[in-house]
Amino acid sequence: RRVLFRSFRGLVYAQIWEDPAVDMEALAIAPDSHVVTIASGGCNVLSYLTADPARITAVDLNTAHIALNRLKLMAARTLPDHAAFHRFFAQADNRANIGAYRTHVAPHLDEATRRYWEGRDLIGRRRIGGFARGIYRHGLLGRFIGAAHLLARLHGVNPRRMLDARSMEEQRTIFERELAPIFDKGFVRWLTSQPASLFGLGIPPAQFEALAGDDRMDRVLKARLEKLACGFDLKDNYFAVQAFGRGYAAGNGQGEGPLPPYLQSANHEAVRTRAGRVDVRHVNFTDFLASQPAGSADRYILLDAQDWMDDDQLNALWAQITRTARPGARVLFRTAGEPSILPGRVADAILERWTYRAAESLDYTARDRSAIYGGVHLYLLKDDAA
């Protein structure tokens, strides 16, 4: 437990692994919406700006994630154009990014954020240098993906081969020929049966058990990887490109390649002009809501945080969500396992004020391009609960 805690004190996600296209469809963000979300790597926070909400509050207990969100928001506002913004966060491996940071971004950062990025990591390198070395190779998830690539190479397989596919048929052929057989190896079956092996995916022991269910973990992971590799056209799935290529695609002369909404050139002006609508706070989600007036928010995104919670924490969270929710409120979250974890755990008096949209949730789960979650779940506040 102490090892897990230490691992999650630093940068965990340089890129968030929830599909913002699914989020924005499920949330139906309106011009007067107040979105409250867990910040994580910040990709979705900035992407939600393309839906034009009135305001977004992004909360997180991880100081590295707070610093990353504030850096992205200030970079969107101060870098001279989309090309510089794209180079900084889509390429993220160019020395010119450091000069751009010093000239355009750093003078406008709050003291804590600037201190974080200009501070040094465990081996003495300034953290901002990650944007010259490939930030997506860093953080807990980046190192996990790197370890998975190493493991594959030790078995004679290069995951980058997936990016050679020119059609979904080729994607399946490459997956079945090269990646799928790895899961039949005895060592891989043993390794994936160890709860600690998935720390890099942000999966604690309790979530590990929910993810596995009654099946072997190697089979579950193989099925999730198959969806990532074969379920969506790689030309449209930046999650797969990150997993197999360890960065965003350059586009190969055919546009800018698959990117999160906030990095797409067509959305740059919207993100830049609306970045001031985001309030990033270093606070627990439940504690933030407890400090807010009743009826003050209407869109809540919990990522997979509830998989970490005990029943008391879940009930405290949903009591505050229900108190602060105004008419038309929606809550979206993900789970490692397939079913919603709320029934039987959150008090009936709270849960009966919400409607679970089961059919839509199954559809969102199927269409979530990140492919790593068992369930995407949508709840709507009942009309009589206002």
Side-chain angles (χ1 to χ4, degrees):
R1 184 179 293 269
R2 286 195 299 270
V3 172
L4 180 64
F5 176 74
R6 291 194 194 100
S7 298
F8 280 78
R9 289 182 63 183
L11 181 65
V12 180
Y13 303 110
Q15 175 195 282
I16 187 171
W17 279 74
E18 284 85 6
D19 191 336
V22 164
D23 286 12
M24 289 188 284
E25 181 179 337
L27 292 168
I29 294 171
D32 63 344
S33 289
H34 176 196
V35 178
V36 183
T37 181
I38 296 173
S40 188
C43 311
N44 287 14
V45 171
L46 273 73
S47 291
Y48 297 152
L49 290 172
T50 67
D52 201 20
R55 55 190 288 226
I56 299 174
T57 303
V59 304
D60 211 295
L61 289 176
N62 183 307
T63 55
H65 289 166
I66 294 294
L68 181 56
N69 276 256
R70 289 177 174 164
L71 176 69
K72 287 182 174 180
L73 288 161
M74 190 55 68
R77 299 171 73 175
T78 60
L79 287 175
D81 51 33
H82 177 258
F85 189 65
H86 181 277
R87 185 187 65 208
F88 206 109
F89 295 106
Q91 297 175 32
D93 59 357
N94 192 314
R95 288 295 307 174
N97 289 334
I98 309 307
Y101 166 81
R102 290 172 178 160
T103 300
H104 299 288
V105 185
H108 303 282
L109 289 174
D110 64 277
E111 181 182 351
T113 302
R114 184 166 183 170
R115 187 168 60 246
Y116 175 85
W117 288 111
E118 296 178 12
R120 298 185 183 274
D121 61 20
L122 292 176
I123 60 175
R125 300 177 300 184
R126 292 197 186 277
R127 295 188 184 97
I128 192 62
F131 291 93
R133 298 189 298 268
I135 193 67
Y136 302 109
R137 295 171 179 263
H138 298 269
L140 193 62
L141 179 62
R143 291 192 294 271
F144 175 87
I145 292 174
H149 275 242
L150 176 61
L151 180 63
R153 286 178 177 274
L154 291 174
H155 288 90
V157 176
N158 184 355
R160 290 181 182 273
R161 279 277 293 116
M162 282 298 310
L163 302 183
D164 294 336
R166 292 295 175 263
S167 67
M168 293 186 68
E169 292 76 13
E170 288 186 15
Q171 290 171 213
R172 179 159 294 281
T173 297
I174 295 172
F175 172 79
E176 292 181 348
R177 183 180 66 231
E178 301 191 29
L179 295 181
I182 294 175
F183 292 90
D184 297 327
K185 306 294 183 180
F187 175 73
V188 173
R189 290 175 60 177
W190 172 83
L191 181 65
T192 57
S193 70
Q194 309 303 307
S197 68
L198 298 186
F199 280 3
L201 284 176
I203 296 176
Q207 199 178 24
F208 182 96
E209 296 172 5
L211 176 60
D214 296 326
D215 205 349
R216 290 203 323 252
M217 182 58 75
D218 61 288
R219 291 175 178 163
V220 174
L221 293 177
K222 181 179 178 181
R224 302 284 170 92
L225 187 64
E226 180 179 8
K227 180 182 177 183
L228 183 67
C230 308
F232 309 92
D233 193 323
L234 294 185
K235 293 190 293 293
D236 301 318
N237 190 2
Y238 63 87
F239 296 101
V241 173
Q242 278 281 3
F244 300 123
R246 304 194 68 195
Y248 291 119
N252 299 321
Q254 300 177 351
E256 53 192 5
L259 291 169
Y262 86 99
L263 285 176
Q264 296 170 14
S265 57
N267 294 327
H268 181 69
E269 186 63 14
V271 172
R272 185 187 68 80
T273 58
R274 298 168 186 168
R277 301 180 189 181
V278 181
D279 180 15
V280 181
R281 299 197 183 193
H282 184 216
V283 65
N284 173 279
F285 202 110
T286 303
D287 291 345
F288 168 74
L289 293 181
S291 72
Q292 299 301 298
S296 57
D298 59 359
R299 301 294 187 270
Y300 304 81
I301 304 100
L302 303 172
L303 308 185
D304 64 342
Q306 293 175 119
D307 280 358
W308 296 66
M309 297 181 182
D310 60 29
D311 289 2
D312 289 342
Q313 291 169 324
L314 279 175
N315 278 278
L317 170 64
W318 276 87
Q320 290 303 329
I321 289 174
T322 304
R323 185 186 66 82
T324 57
R326 59 193 187 206
R330 294 173 175 236
V331 181
L332 190 72
F333 63 89
R334 286 164 172 81
T335 51
E338 295 180 5
S340 169
I341 62 172
L342 302 186
R345 298 186 62 189
V346 172
D348 291 342
I350 296 175
L351 204 55
E352 67 187 9
R353 300 183 67 181
W354 295 85
T355 298
Y356 179 52
R357 304 302 288 264
E360 291 99 320
S361 296
L362 286 173
D363 180 54
Y364 297 139
T365 301
R367 292 193 288 116
D368 190 307
R369 293 170 295 173
S370 74
I372 65 173
Y373 295 100
V376 179
H377 307 282
L378 175 65
Y379 280 77
L380 270 62
L381 187 67
K382 293 180 180 178
D383 291 341
D384 61 356

